[in-house]
Amino acid sequence: MPTDPSIDTSAACQMAMASLERLRGAMSTLLRDEAEEQPARDDNWVTAIPDRIVLDVRSGRDIPISHPSPNAQLFVTEGAVRGLVRAAGDTVDNLIVGRCRLDGELTVLGAPITVTVDARACKGENIPPFADKLRDTLVGALRTHTELAIAGIDVIIRDIYLTKPEHGEEEATP
Amino acid sequence: MTDAAELAGNLEVIVRSVAGVTALYPTTPIVVTIVGSVVDALTQREKAPKLVAVTTGKASLSVTARIGVADAASSTGVCRRVHDTIAANPAILALAPINTISVTVASIG
């Protein structure tokens, strides 16, 4: 397929591509393991993720970055921050981040912001510490890249569909 | 004296050289870019999306850039460095007083 400069030079398209590549990588291993163990079922949630990615990579609001010069107008887009949240969340093992929402007056420096993240976790994870680990990861990424005043990060585990290989059982088998 | 178009080209090279900058994106919206690409294809014009915009007013100029930032860097720090690099450019200072320098981080990682 020939290259398309309008895609290659679009931040939104590049973020969507990166998200889809991470999703494909995760799904190719995790879903294969699950498919071998589970009967056929409705996979609409899988097809919904790319739809959410397309929505989330839109630039959205401009989030200000402070600078002492009165001539400076510095911003990070809401879409870039949502992409950051998803990419950081996907670094947590056995978890796929779906929807991400930023609530609050994003365009006002210092205004309290709440981050809401939908995620899918592997069966067998202890959800509360798992959510805390995701929160810590997201706080670190947001503090590195933004000046957002994070009032809270709500983690919603929507599904527990993905199945890890039961290595413990394999090792226990003589 | 450098004109605005030449300055925009020079600034593109300068912004790309700032540590932590991974990409430069067109300052025009994606729809405008796509329409422009179609027109360029139909008219067989050379494709050259504007990556750093320099606009001159009555007695001042404005610079606009949209950048991608490496995940390992800090978007706030890189964004400020890009601003400071543009603001300190001698060619800009020689052309006209600066009205605004707008830098937007459009992607991270």
Side-chain angles (χ1 to χ4, degrees):
Chain A
M1 180 174 280
T3 58
D4 184 339
S6 65
I7 294 174
D8 293 342
T9 60
S10 164
C13 292
Q14 292 302 308
M15 282 191 291
M17 291 288 287
S19 293
L20 291 171
E21 284 174 4
R22 286 198 306 274
L23 177 63
R24 185 178 65 176
M27 300 306 292
S28 63
T29 53
L30 294 169
L31 273 185
R32 185 178 59 242
D33 295 334
E34 185 180 45
E36 291 172 354
E37 299 182 15
Q38 300 287 329
R41 57 147 206 283
D42 181 9
D43 281 339
N44 283 340
W45 69 275
V46 175
T47 57
I49 292 176
D51 293 339
R52 291 306 319 175
I53 290 172
V54 169
L55 288 177
D56 285 356
V57 297
R58 289 176 181 166
S59 291
R61 294 167 283 183
D62 283 340
I63 302 168
I65 295 172
S66 65
H67 194 286
S69 169
N71 298 326
Q73 295 181 348
L74 310 184
F75 306 98
V76 56
T77 66
E78 183 180 3
V81 173
R82 284 196 299 245
L84 168 71
V85 167
R86 183 176 296 106
D90 287 348
T91 63
V92 177
D93 287 341
N94 302 323
L95 179 131
I96 295 175
V97 173
R99 188 184 185 200
C100 167
R101 198 175 73 233
L102 306 174
D103 292 317
E105 295 293 333
L106 281 179
T107 57
V108 178
L109 202 60
I113 303 299
T114 301
V115 181
T116 304
V117 172
D118 288 358
R120 276 85 181 174
C122 279
K123 184 181 78 175
E125 293 291 347
N126 188 348
I127 298 299
F130 197 51
D132 286 341
K133 185 178 180 184
L134 174 59
R135 266 191 212 97
D136 291 343
T137 302
L138 298 185
V139 165
L142 289 168
R143 282 185 178 162
T144 298
H145 288 280
T146 75
E147 295 178 314
L148 290 173
I150 303 299
I153 296 179
D154 297 331
V155 177
I156 303 170
I157 303 297
R158 291 285 183 193
D159 299 296
I160 305 176
Y161 274 133
L162 308 177
T163 305
K164 288 188 295 190
E166 299 291 345
H167 295 300
E169 289 183 8
E170 290 172 9
E171 289 168 4
T173 304
Chain B
M1 180 178 283
T2 309
D3 67 9
E6 185 181 347
L7 179 59
N10 293 340
L11 288 177
E12 182 180 330
V13 176
I14 290 167
V15 170
R16 283 188 192 281
S17 69
V18 174
V21 173
T22 58
L24 262 175
Y25 298 107
T27 54
T28 50
I30 181 68
V31 173
V32 176
T33 304
I34 290 170
V35 171
S37 298
V38 171
V39 171
D40 288 342
L42 291 174
T43 59
Q44 296 184 329
R45 280 193 314 203
E46 189 177 347
K47 295 174 183 174
K50 188 181 290 183
L51 298 180
V52 174
V54 177
T55 54
T56 52
K58 286 182 179 176
S60 63
L61 61 80
S62 296
V63 180
T64 305
R66 291 171 63 83
I67 62 173
V69 172
D71 183 51
S74 160
S75 290
T76 52
V78 172
C79 197
R80 290 189 192 107
R81 279 200 299 275
V82 168
H83 168 277
D84 295 346
T85 302
I86 293 172
N89 186 265
I92 279 196
L93 300 172
L95 190 61
I98 296 169
N99 182 20
T100 58
I101 296 176
S102 176
V103 183
T104 301
V105 177
S107 73
I108 302 168

